[in-house]
């Protein structure tokens, strides 16, 4: 039987060979960590510590009163060296707490009740206090997702194990190495939102993970493992739901509107660790990889570790680096500094050598229609971009520019190398600003 | 022969008949146009720049004739055009607008400011601004892709060798379209008659500014001290000229150690 999938999209070379069989490694103590106070969707946190204070690993160092936000925790015990703006992976500066680890690694944990006394509300409050956000890069606070309003109940929960971006293998390794936590996490989520059925959506290229999870959930009536085609962007919420449940998320809506909750693998494991052990979110698994890295690895990294230490840990650059990308090559952000810290949403660091990072200048559209064929949102990217080029933002809006999920398939397939996503983001920014005012 | 004559006659007959119908329609269904609209339209510059807020010069002319817009509505035209428009309508010009000229408050450009990264994207300032505020170390400085040059309907701006837009003072009408386009907000309209300009827009700390740009205002206050009418003040690490007070004596110009406080070079 052909694995399930969605319409459109693009088959990419996985390029995961370099790291998919390497176990997740810990890294030694870095000389300092920089923990940004804004690592989630929502307003930034206010610092709860002062310069010179001693903090413990897992101690809350930033929080706000807003519902849509998540607190920030110290990842090492040590002294607060400074609270100052520091470069962030988006290219801007964000107020950050600089901690010099003392090497003792004295930890504080959250208070958790006995596992049989867990209630949905208790889980939500633990998840919030643990500062858990969507670890796939969306960084949407998880406790908000776990609190569906009464009139929109959730019946299905999907764990997203697609990892459809090339090079990245962090989720795959976690699925193999923390399978039990993953399944427990799904059960906790099912209990919290009161859903009947849980699904694992996993790409068929991760056969080993599919087998392991199938073996461990064979007796569970309400958990199903669904093998999915390894097409990009299969890991997008909408396309995952379409492939597994055949339901369509409304154009302006969210999965909650059709009774579905999607969680990423790393987030689910983090929920288990918080609810079972009271461990706040202060580390994550990420892949440091790409042809521009000497010794690619899967690493378990404390939040706030600077990228330069990770590169060092992986043997440094292979040749001259051309592009250093935070996240995946399709949707990530290129960096100009190695002094940026790892944050909750960092899935990986991909280094491309110079010859792979060359960009040739765009030529006029030849109207081949390939972008239309690959667009997973059934838009007509070439029309949208032509409108933006002509400064016709309203027409671009009518053509659906705001529905674009910025997967980048159109730009990749384009034979004339038109930078689709830059035009589309430009139009989206203007429209979203207008909508706010 | 007869065929040709028949054809010619029938065409002539048709032409005459339809002509008469058109003539009647012209009289009967005539749309009354305020004759002033056409007169005003002839006086206006005709660049359709839109700086007045109406859709082109015709829209502005209609609004002025109806009295919805003041006689000095045309921004690009300045005082002279306002007077002509006022003459057509038999009104007076209410307030006298000082002739202004647009100016780029940055001298940095590609050779004088250090870069953080190489920008490979779409060559446009507003596009580059989206990528971490542009490739320059100075996040306040001119990106030099010429969005303002393309926005100018009068051809008054051009990029110099250092990718900094230069204003042709004779062509500039002070319509302000370039200032609206600039994503860095470094273009402002300054009065033509008091030509002391600060060529820096950065509110960074002086220490940072000194390192990343050779022509930055470092807030040394040399200009503030020498000014006799308190027209130059350093605010947020940046010298600002108050054009209400400035008398254009130019004492400050010679004092600037960074060459970023200058006279506007008016072409003779």
């Amino acid at each position: 039987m052909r694995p399930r999938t969605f319409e459109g999209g693009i088959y990419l070379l996985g390029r995961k060979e370099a790291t998919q069989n390497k176990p997740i490694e810990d890294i030694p103590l870095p000389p300092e960590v920089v923990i940004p106070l804004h690592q989630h969707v929502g307003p930034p946190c206010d610092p709860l510590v002062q310069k010179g204070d001693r903090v413990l690993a897992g101690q809350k160092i930033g929080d706000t009163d807003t519902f849509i936000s998540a607190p920030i925790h110290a990842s090492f015990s040590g002294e607060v060296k400074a609270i100052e703006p520091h470069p962030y992976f988006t290219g801007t500066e964000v107020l950050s707490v600089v901690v010099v680890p003392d090497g003792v690694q004295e930890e504080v944990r959250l208070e958790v009740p006995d596992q049989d006394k867990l209630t949905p509300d208790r889980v939500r409050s633990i998840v919030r206090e643990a500062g858990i956000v969507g670890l796939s890069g969306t960084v949407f606070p998880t406790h908000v997702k776990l609190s569906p309003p009464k009139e929109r109940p959730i019946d299905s929960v999907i764990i997203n194990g697609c990892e459809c971006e090339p090079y990245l293998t962090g989720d795959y390794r976690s699925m193999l190495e923390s399978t039990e936590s993953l399944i427990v996490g799904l059960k906790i989520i099912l209990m919290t939102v009161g859903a009947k059925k849980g699904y694992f959506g996993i790409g068929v290229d991760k056969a080993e993970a599919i087998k392991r999870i199938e073996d461990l959930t064979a007796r569970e009536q309400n958990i199903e493992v669904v093998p999915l085609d390894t097409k990009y962007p299969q890991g997008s919420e909408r396309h995952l739901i379409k492939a597994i449940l055949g339901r369509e998320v409304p154009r302006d809506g969210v999965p909650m509107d059709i009774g579905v909750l999607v969680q990423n693998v790393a987030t689910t494991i983090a929920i288990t660790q918080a609810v079972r052990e009271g461990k706040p979110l202060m580390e994550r698994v990420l892949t440091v990889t790409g042809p521009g890295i000497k010794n690619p690895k899967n690493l378990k990294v404390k939040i706030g570790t600077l990228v330069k230490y990770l590169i060092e840990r992986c043997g440094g650059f292979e040749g001259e680096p051309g592009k250093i990308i935070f996240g995946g090559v399709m949707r990530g952000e290129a960096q100009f500094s190695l002094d940026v810290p790892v944050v909750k949403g960092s899935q990986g660091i991909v280094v491309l050598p110079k010859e792979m990072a060359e960009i040739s200048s765009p030529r006029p559209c030849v109207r081949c229609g390939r972008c239309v064929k690959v667009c997973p949102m059934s838009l007509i990217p070439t029309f949208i971009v032509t409108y933006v080029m002509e400064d016709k933002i309203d027409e671009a809006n009518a053509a659906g520019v705001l529905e674009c999920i910025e997967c980048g398939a159109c730009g990749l397939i384009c034979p004339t190398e038109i930078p689709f996503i830059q035009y589309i983001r430009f139009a989206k920014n203007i429209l979203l600003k207008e909508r706010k005012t | 022969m007869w065929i040709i004559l028949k054809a010619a006659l029938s065409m002539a007959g048709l032409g005459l008949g339809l002509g008469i119908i058109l003539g009647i329609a012209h009289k009967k269904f005539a749309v009354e146009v305020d004759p002033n609209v056409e007169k005003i339209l002839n006086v206006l510059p005709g660049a359709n720049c839109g700086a007045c807020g109406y859709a082109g010069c015709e829209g502005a002319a209609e609004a002025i004739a109806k009295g919805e817009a003041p006689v000095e509505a045309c921004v690009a035209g300045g005082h002279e055009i306002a007077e002509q428009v006022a003459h057509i309508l038999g009104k007076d010009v209410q307030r006298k607008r000082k002739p202004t000229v647009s100016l780029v408050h940055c001298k940095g450009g590609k050779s004088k400011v250090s870069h953080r990264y190489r920008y490979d994207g779409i060559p446009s300032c507003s596009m580059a601004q989206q990528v971490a505020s542009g490739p320059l170390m100075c996040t306040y400085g001119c990106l030099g892709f010429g969005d303002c040059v393309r926005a100018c309907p009068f051809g008054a701006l051009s990029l110099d060798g250092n990718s900094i837009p230069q204003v042709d003072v004779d062509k500039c009408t002070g319509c302000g379209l370039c200032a609206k386009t600039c994503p860095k907000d470094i273009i402002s309209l300054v009065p033509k008659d008091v030509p002391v300009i600060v060529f820096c827009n950065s509110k960074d700390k002086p220490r940072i500014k000194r390192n990343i740009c050779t022509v930055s205002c470092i807030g040394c206050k040399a200009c503030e001290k020498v000014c006799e009418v308190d027209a130059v003040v350093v605010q947020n690490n940046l010298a600002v000229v108050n054009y209400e007070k400035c008398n254009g004596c130019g004492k400050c110009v010679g004092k600037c150690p960074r060459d970023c406080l200058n006279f506007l070079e008016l072409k003779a």
Side-chain angles (χ1 to χ4, degrees):
Chain A
M1 193 184 84
R2 282 195 61 180
R4 289 190 231 171
T5 188
F6 61 98
E7 256 180 62
I10 181 170
Y11 288 97
L12 299 174
L13 284 177
R15 299 179 193 269
K16 296 179 191 258
E17 307 77 23
T19 50
Q20 66 182 4
N21 293 323
K22 290 187 183 168
I24 298 165
E25 277 180 36
D26 282 322
I27 68 162
L29 201 69
E32 67 173 25
V33 285
V34 178
I35 305 167
L37 288 169
H38 192 194
Q39 303 186 24
H40 49 262
V41 173
C45 290
D46 301 318
L48 299 177
V49 288
Q50 282 175 349
K51 190 181 162 182
D53 285 359
R54 178 162 194 271
V55 290
L56 303 178
Q59 183 185 333
K60 196 153 84 170
I61 54 172
D63 204 354
T64 61
D65 302 333
T66 324
F67 179 59
I68 299 184
S69 84
I72 309 280
H73 301 82
S75 48
F76 283 103
S77 66
E79 194 193 333
V80 177
K81 190 176 139 197
I83 298 172
E84 59 188 15
H86 195 276
Y88 193 55
F89 77 96
T90 54
T92 49
E93 291 199 336
V94 167
L95 191 67
S96 310
V97 178
V98 183
V99 178
V100 178
D102 54 13
V104 185
Q105 200 57 354
E106 206 176 317
E107 285 197 25
V108 281
R109 293 273 164 119
L110 303 170
E111 266 181 52
V112 284
D114 289 341
Q115 294 308 305
D116 48 342
K117 283 185 193 155
L118 272 181
T119 60
D121 279 336
R122 193 82 182 92
V123 173
R124 282 179 203 125
S125 76
I126 293 173
V127 167
R128 185 192 183 282
E129 280 309 299
I132 296 175
V133 297
L135 295 180
S136 62
T138 53
V139 294
F140 191 78
T142 302
H143 67 98
V144 182
K145 265 184 153 181
L146 293 180
S147 317
K150 274 212 183 81
E151 63 275 15
R152 282 185 290 178
I154 286 186
D155 56 60
S156 311
V157 175
I158 299 175
I159 304 299
N160 182 355
C162 288
E163 207 166 43
C164 54
E165 280 259 11
Y167 292 111
L168 304 183
T169 54
D171 278 357
Y172 173 62
R173 288 312 304 178
S174 305
M175 279 192 271
L176 289 181
E177 292 177 31
S178 316
T179 325
E180 282 87 5
S181 305
L182 185 64
I183 294 164
V184 170
L186 175 56
K187 286 181 190 162
I188 294 172
I189 297 172
L190 286 173
M191 184 275 284
T192 310
V193 297
K196 287 184 214 75
K197 186 105 197 205
Y199 299 87
F200 283 98
I202 303 171
V204 282
D205 57 333
K206 301 171 184 63
E208 218 176 307
I210 295 178
K211 190 160 178 307
R212 257 205 86 123
I213 297 174
E214 265 179 351
D215 287 350
L216 284 170
T217 57
R219 286 153 172 256
E220 311 278 349
Q221 293 291 318
N222 58 344
I223 295 179
E224 193 186 327
V225 181
V226 185
L228 298 168
D229 208 356
T230 50
K231 196 158 64 169
Y232 180 85
Q234 182 65 73
S236 142
E237 280 189 336
R238 288 164 183 272
H239 302 98
L240 200 61
I241 296 169
K242 180 82 179 88
I244 293 179
L245 299 169
R247 294 185 209 168
E248 197 96 46
V249 180
R251 297 240 128 173
D252 284 334
V254 288
M256 204 188 272
D257 297 340
I258 53 165
V260 185
L261 174 70
V262 180
Q263 283 296 358
N264 162 266
V265 166
T267 320
T268 313
I269 295 172
I271 291 174
T272 312
Q273 287 173 346
V275 173
R276 280 273 158 99
E277 303 158 30
K279 192 173 169 189
L281 183 65
M282 49 188 196
E283 61 187 14
R284 69 155 300 145
V285 175
L286 61 83
T287 319
V288 182
T289 180
I293 285 280
K294 273 225 172 80
N295 194 2
K297 277 177 183 167
N298 295 305
L299 298 173
K300 187 177 268 181
V301 177
K302 295 274 192 282
I303 303 291
T305 311
L306 299 183
V307 172
K308 56 184 177 192
Y309 301 125
L310 303 184
I311 306 274
E312 218 172 87
R313 183 72 192 147
C314 294
F317 294 122
E318 176 83 50
E320 197 183 338
K323 274 223 180 336
I324 300 159
I325 303 166
F326 232 73
V329 277
M330 291 299 288
R331 298 209 45 188
E333 307 250 358
Q335 300 299 308
F336 50 81
S337 161
L338 290 180
D339 278 329
V340 287
V342 167
V343 290
K344 292 176 183 175
S346 322
Q347 277 181 298
I349 291 152
V350 186
V351 181
L352 300 180
K354 215 166 180 198
E355 58 276 10
M356 279 178 84
E358 287 298 324
I359 295 175
S360 53
S361 49
R363 299 174 295 281
C365 172
V366 292
R367 308 181 70 76
C368 65
R370 288 189 206 171
C371 54
V372 183
K373 209 173 159 194
V374 299
C375 180
M377 293 304 288
S378 310
L379 302 172
I380 307 181
T382 173
F383 277 18
I384 295 177
V385 163
T386 311
Y387 287 137
V388 182
M389 279 181 197
E390 300 287 323
D391 220 8
K392 292 184 171 156
I393 305 294
D394 289 333
E395 279 87 345
N397 190 12
V401 65
L402 287 175
E403 285 160 28
C404 171
I405 56 168
E406 299 177 21
C407 69
C410 47
L412 187 77
I413 202 84
C414 181
T416 58
E417 299 178 46
I418 293 170
F420 280 88
I421 300 302
Q422 197 178 4
Y423 283 116
I424 287 174
R425 279 196 185 154
F426 177 71
K428 274 178 141 181
N429 278 352
I430 292 180
L431 288 167
L432 293 177
K433 222 178 262 172
E434 268 173 23
R435 198 180 267 192
K436 258 182 206 167
T437 51
Chain B
M1 186 64 205
W2 176 238
I3 296 173
I4 296 172
L5 204 65
K6 211 163 67 173
L9 278 175
S10 56
M11 286 310 287
L14 260 176
L16 194 71
L18 291 173
I20 291 168
I21 295 172
L22 273 177
I24 296 168
H26 178 71
K27 286 269 170 217
K28 199 154 189 187
F29 303 116
V31 179
E32 279 202 33
V33 181
D34 190 343
N36 283 339
V37 173
E38 191 132 332
K39 282 187 201 159
I40 295 171
L41 193 58
N42 284 336
V43 173
L44 293 178
N48 292 324
C49 68
C52 52
Y54 293 94
C57 290
E58 191 156 357
E62 273 170 26
I64 296 172
K66 272 187 202 158
E68 285 168 9
V71 290
E72 56 274 71
C74 179
V75 183
H79 189 63
E80 250 173 65
I81 303 257
E83 270 188 346
Q84 286 177 28
V85 173
H87 183 72
I88 292 167
L89 294 175
K91 289 181 185 170
D92 286 324
V93 179
Q94 293 296 321
R95 64 196 155 90
K96 192 172 168 175
R97 195 201 308 273
K98 273 192 181 174
T100 53
V101 60
S102 87
L103 239 131
V104 182
H105 291 269
C106 179
K107 258 188 178 181
K110 58 183 177 193
S111 66
K112 290 171 183 163
V113 193
S114 346
H115 283 58
R116 296 190 287 181
Y117 64 89
R118 199 183 78 200
Y119 175 72
D120 284 331
I122 302 157
S124 146
C125 307
S126 44
M127 295 282 178
Q129 168 74 8
Q130 309 235 316
V131 187
S133 307
L136 301 176
M137 285 285 231
C138 174
T139 51
Y140 297 92
C142 176
L143 293 167
F145 293 106
D147 279 13
C148 50
V149 175
R150 287 187 285 276
C152 181
F154 303 99
L157 287 157
S158 57
L159 289 181
D160 68 3
N162 194 24
S163 293
I164 292 283
Q166 295 296 331
V167 182
D168 184 334
V169 178
D170 294 334
K171 284 187 187 163
C172 178
T173 58
C175 69
L177 284 182
C178 47
K180 275 183 209 158
T181 314
C182 182
K184 297 282 191 192
D185 275 339
I186 49 176
I187 302 183
S188 73
L189 296 173
V190 296
K192 262 183 181 169
D193 52 342
V194 197
V196 177
I197 320 288
V198 180
F199 283 99
C200 184
N201 185 49
S202 171
K203 283 137 196 124
D204 275 332
K205 284 176 185 142
R207 184 169 47 84
I208 298 171
K209 280 203 259 185
R210 191 191 284 274
N211 286 338
I212 60 178
C213 175
T214 57
V215 283
S216 51
C217 169
I218 48 168
C220 67
K221 300 199 176 179
C223 47
E224 190 180 310
K225 278 170 206 154
V226 80
C227 185
E228 288 164 359
V229 288
D230 294 336
V232 192
V233 185
V234 175
Q235 293 166 346
N236 296 330
N237 310 319
L238 182 65
V240 181
V241 178
N242 183 344
Y243 292 104
E244 300 282 308
K245 288 181 182 171
C246 178
N247 58 11
C249 70
K251 277 181 185 154
C252 49
V253 173
K255 289 285 171 195
C256 180
R258 304 282 287 177
D259 194 28
C260 66
L261 189 72
N262 270 351
F263 275 121
L264 170 61
E265 285 165 28
L266 286 165
K267 281 185 189 157

